[in-house]
Amino acid sequence: MTASIAVPAARVRPAEGLRQSASLSWRTLVQIKHNPMELIDFSIQPVMFLLLFTYVFGGAIVGSTGDYLAFALPGIIVQNALFASLNTGVGLNTDLTKGVFDRLRTLPIARWAPLAGRIAADMVKQVWALVLLLGIGAIMGFRVGGSPLGLLGAAGLLLVVVFAFSWIAVLVGMIVSEPEKVMIFGFTVMFPLTFVSNAFVPADTMPSWLQGWVEVNPVTLLADAMRGLLGGGSVAGPVGGVVLWSAAITVVVAPLAVRAFKRRV
Amino acid sequence: MQNAVLAEGLAMRFGETRALDGVDLAVPSGTVLGLLGPNGAGKTTAVRILTTLLRPDAGRAEVCGYDVVREAHQVRQLIGLTGQYASVDEMLTGTENLLLIGRLLGLTRPLAKRRARELLERFGLADAAGRAAKTYSGGMRRRLDLAASLVASPRVLFLDEPTTGLDPRSRLDLWQIIRDLVADGVTVLLTTQYLDEADQLASRIAVVDHGRVIAEGTPAELKARTGAQPLVVRPADPADLPTVLRIVGDLSDTAPAVEGTVVTATVADPAVLPAVVRRLDDANVLVAELALRDVSLDEVFLALTGQRTAAPALPEGVPA
């Protein structure tokens, strides 16, 4: 039996490329089975954040843990999703340094399939974390006040932002020499970005110069939009801002990331 | 005979380093070419160009008539590569690794599974098929990597230092696998630092140094070019060293050298060995070691370049 081809095809058909991306997504997801630590990494950590912030800081910040949960759960979802978006870069860089990309590049597959496959698999993990946080949040007393459509909208909007941010992760993952450095970048950029927002605390006690940034920070806008979509409030303003930010990040960073990817992979 | 691999004037530079400086290669279909050279000679760079992983700065190369730069996609349908570092996914099991490749190559799921099972069995990995590759030994990983490059039944197989870092047993296993593939008609280009490996597997050897092919021929031809083999004598009693040195000096072609308690010299005529034995016996010298060693890569290099190879002291895992 053989898979060799009498006359080699000149290029990959787009449908084949999609199927190859799906196979590569499968590969990223099936890794979890053999490395349960990874599952813990993107499950326990957000839940721990949620519990700590709610029960330790919640009362001090807004007076009661119940009120705080309603305010903070959407923020924690956002913060966790943006941090997790870096995993795309970590995974790509690991494949690069371990030689997996060498193997993939000698195969007659679409050049973009490994990238698409990785991003798609990481999206699946994001959905899992979202479901988990909403589930634990519900147990803790969070009530989704909006319609099911609002819930879907919240998930969709979150994935749009994650998609935009994953281009940053791809770019970083292609530039740095080892996977750990993606995380170092994450901590030095993502921490200030997510904390200087209203994800965890209302901005009114912050110095005014900081408030200026908090108001336009995409993390604030996304947290507000999520609050509205999950809680049933008005969302038009923040959603518009979020979409603009996502579009801007994608337009600027995606071409750079794809170029970096093509150069190294 | 048609050439499965053909390279003309390949040149590649990394910053100040000239990794390849005009390399010509030809591998007729169904034969094995050994690319022999020390670390940093340019072997891996040549393989990476031929397997479409790198674009050469100058020169051209083709595999089965397809240009490795302009027709990379076609080339990828014909080749398999097993690198110096087993590029398997450590987090996946042996089966999953091969299943992934099969699926990427467009096999249906049942077909990909069957092919994975076949290859795992053939390479003695059936028992480990369900274990994550990170639990595999070095030899098992290398075999899995080789299996991965064979899922597509390639016409041309590139093996970049396939046995570097393997224990002798795994090395012999891998050699046998490679021989079987050649018997099936696969064309092989393999790089190695070991003359005996090239000797065992290759029909022709190209010796590479500083990015150039400095000699090419059958293993026997290359050895003949060195014209001599090292003679090694170690007296049981170090006090006999001067006597041994004198006797060896009388019979060998070059002035003998002493390293510790070992006397070495090069001899072209195998008849020298019994003569040395007789003379040592006459002088009542007991020897702990007496041998005419096979020509090593080092000797071939010495003969071809007049200098020793850059000692292969680089730690394992440093790309050549």
Side-chain angles (χ1 to χ4, degrees):
Chain A
M1 77 156 276
T2 167
S4 70
I5 302 148
V7 178
R11 51 181 37 85
V12 189
R13 291 195 307 270
E16 283 174 331
L18 281 176
R19 210 180 36 72
Q20 290 154 359
S21 305
S23 293
L24 288 160
S25 286
W26 166 82
R27 168 237 168 186
T28 302
L29 294 172
V30 86
Q31 282 182 339
I32 301 168
K33 199 171 78 187
H34 306 293
N35 189 20
M37 283 304 290
E38 205 188 326
L39 187 69
I40 291 173
D41 190 43
F42 62 79
S43 304
I44 303 275
Q45 198 175 297
V47 171
M48 196 175 68
F49 255 95
L50 178 60
L51 294 173
L52 288 177
F53 267 82
T54 306
Y55 294 119
V56 178
F57 299 137
I61 292 171
V62 294
S64 87
T65 53
D67 290 346
Y68 183 71
L69 183 65
F71 174 81
L73 181 61
I76 287 173
I77 287 172
V78 170
Q79 184 257 3
N80 177 64
L82 295 188
F83 258 102
S85 72
L86 289 169
N87 283 330
T88 305
V90 177
L92 287 172
N93 192 274
T94 307
D95 281 351
L96 206 58
T97 45
K98 293 244 167 158
V100 174
F101 270 131
D102 277 359
R103 157 78 57 218
L104 295 179
R105 283 183 56 209
T106 59
L107 296 175
I109 59 171
R111 295 294 294 270
W112 49 267
L115 186 58
R118 169 69 61 176
I119 291 177
D122 286 337
M123 289 287 189
V124 173
K125 294 185 195 174
Q126 290 278 2
V127 171
W128 158 256
L130 174 67
V131 169
L132 185 74
L133 278 172
L134 283 175
I136 303 278
I139 295 169
M140 290 165 70
F142 184 86
R143 289 289 162 261
V144 176
S147 61
L149 221 59
L151 189 64
L152 278 182
L157 192 66
L158 188 74
L159 290 183
V160 166
V161 177
V162 162
F163 181 74
F165 269 75
S166 64
W167 289 114
I168 300 175
V170 171
L171 181 61
V172 176
M174 287 297 120
I175 290 171
V176 299
S177 54
E178 50 197 63
E180 289 75 23
K181 290 192 178 147
V182 180
M183 288 327 279
I184 294 171
F185 165 85
F187 282 108
T188 48
V189 173
M190 285 297 185
F191 253 112
L193 184 71
T194 51
F195 274 75
V196 184
S197 75
N198 75 0
F200 306 110
V201 292
D204 37 6
T205 59
M206 297 181 197
S208 58
W209 55 269
L210 206 54
Q211 284 188 31
W213 165 246
V214 170
E215 274 168 35
V216 294
N217 185 345
V219 180
T220 302
L221 297 174
L222 181 58
D224 279 342
M226 298 287 285
R227 285 180 189 118
L229 288 164
L230 293 171
S234 116
V235 290
V239 168
V242 167
V243 171
L244 270 181
W245 263 110
S246 304
I249 291 172
T250 307
V251 166
V252 175
V253 184
L256 293 173
V258 168
R259 213 181 69 171
F261 180 81
K262 277 187 177 161
R263 275 175 60 168
R264 278 195 76 177
V265 174
Chain B
M1 204 182 326
Q2 222 196 335
N3 284 321
V5 180
L6 187 69
E8 287 169 359
L10 287 185
M12 188 81 201
R13 204 183 241 292
F14 297 108
E16 286 300 293
T17 319
R18 253 180 227 272
L20 291 183
D21 194 11
V23 165
D24 300 328
L25 292 171
V27 191
S29 285
T31 68
V32 183
L33 177 74
L35 220 51
L36 181 69
N39 267 327
K43 306 187 299 287
T44 298
T45 306
V47 167
R48 290 180 69 83
I49 290 172
L50 294 171
T51 53
T52 76
L53 293 175
L54 274 180
R55 263 167 188 267
D57 292 337
R60 53 179 294 281
E62 53 185 50
V63 173
C64 301
Y66 292 99
D67 187 280
V68 297
V69 175
R70 281 179 296 108
E71 295 162 314
H73 187 66
Q74 286 92 325
V75 170
R76 290 179 188 134
Q77 289 162 70
L78 302 165
I79 61 165
L81 166 66
T82 293
Q84 217 171 116
Y85 318 101
S87 55
V88 297
D89 187 331
E90 297 183 335
M91 295 297 174
L92 300 190
T93 65
T95 303
E96 285 163 353
N97 263 295
L98 300 187
L99 193 57
L100 172 67
I101 309 262
R103 294 289 284 154
L104 287 175
L105 290 169
L107 299 184
T108 62
R109 218 179 146 75
L111 220 53
K113 273 192 171 161
R114 206 168 80 200
R115 183 85 179 126
R117 205 168 37 239
E118 260 172 30
L119 285 165
L120 290 166
E121 244 159 59
R122 177 163 160 203
F123 291 167
L125 292 169
D127 293 339
R131 267 164 45 201
K134 64 183 168 190
T135 67
Y136 284 20
S137 70
M140 290 165 77
R141 250 180 231 225
R142 210 67 74 93
R143 293 205 298 272
L144 179 60
D145 195 32
L146 188 54
S149 47
L150 294 177
V151 174
S153 310
R155 285 196 227 163
V156 184
L157 187 61
F158 294 87
L159 303 168
D160 191 11
E161 303 206 3
T163 65
T164 297
L166 291 190
D167 60 76
R169 174 73 209 275
S170 309
R171 203 156 168 239
L172 290 177
D173 286 350
L174 215 63
W175 282 1
Q176 192 50 50
I177 290 171
I178 296 167
R179 283 193 197 101
D180 292 346
L181 287 167
V182 176
D184 287 347
V186 177
T187 306
V188 175
L189 188 152
L190 81 104
T191 77
T192 181
Q193 300 187 46
Y194 312 113
L195 184 69
D196 63 329
E197 184 159 286
D199 201 4
Q200 287 281 337
L201 301 172
S203 25
R204 290 187 75 77
I205 296 178
V207 181
V208 192
D209 189 36
H210 291 106
R212 307 186 71 101
V213 176
I214 56 172
E216 217 208 309
T218 64
E221 281 168 6
L222 282 180
K223 281 188 193 166
R225 286 181 66 168
T226 70
Q229 281 175 283
L231 170 72
V232 182
V233 186
R234 185 159 59 88
D237 181 358
D240 288 330
L241 268 176
T243 318
V244 171
L245 201 58
R246 186 170 43 78
I247 293 172
V248 171
D250 284 352
L251 296 168
S252 69
D253 311 317
T254 60
V258 186
E259 268 178 62
T261 59
V262 180
V263 175
T264 54
T266 52
V267 295
D269 181 3
V272 167
L273 191 62
V276 169
V277 174
R278 269 195 306 274
R279 292 273 305 268
L280 288 171
D281 193 38
D282 290 346
N284 280 321
V285 175
L286 276 177
V287 289
E289 186 185 354
L290 174 71
L292 206 51
R293 294 227 168 114
D294 202 1
V295 187
S296 69
L297 169 60
D298 213 34
E299 269 91 28
V300 173
F301 257 81
L302 192 61
L304 291 171
T305 65
Q307 57 187 354
R308 299 252 152 204
T309 56
L314 283 174
E316 225 176 274
V318 175

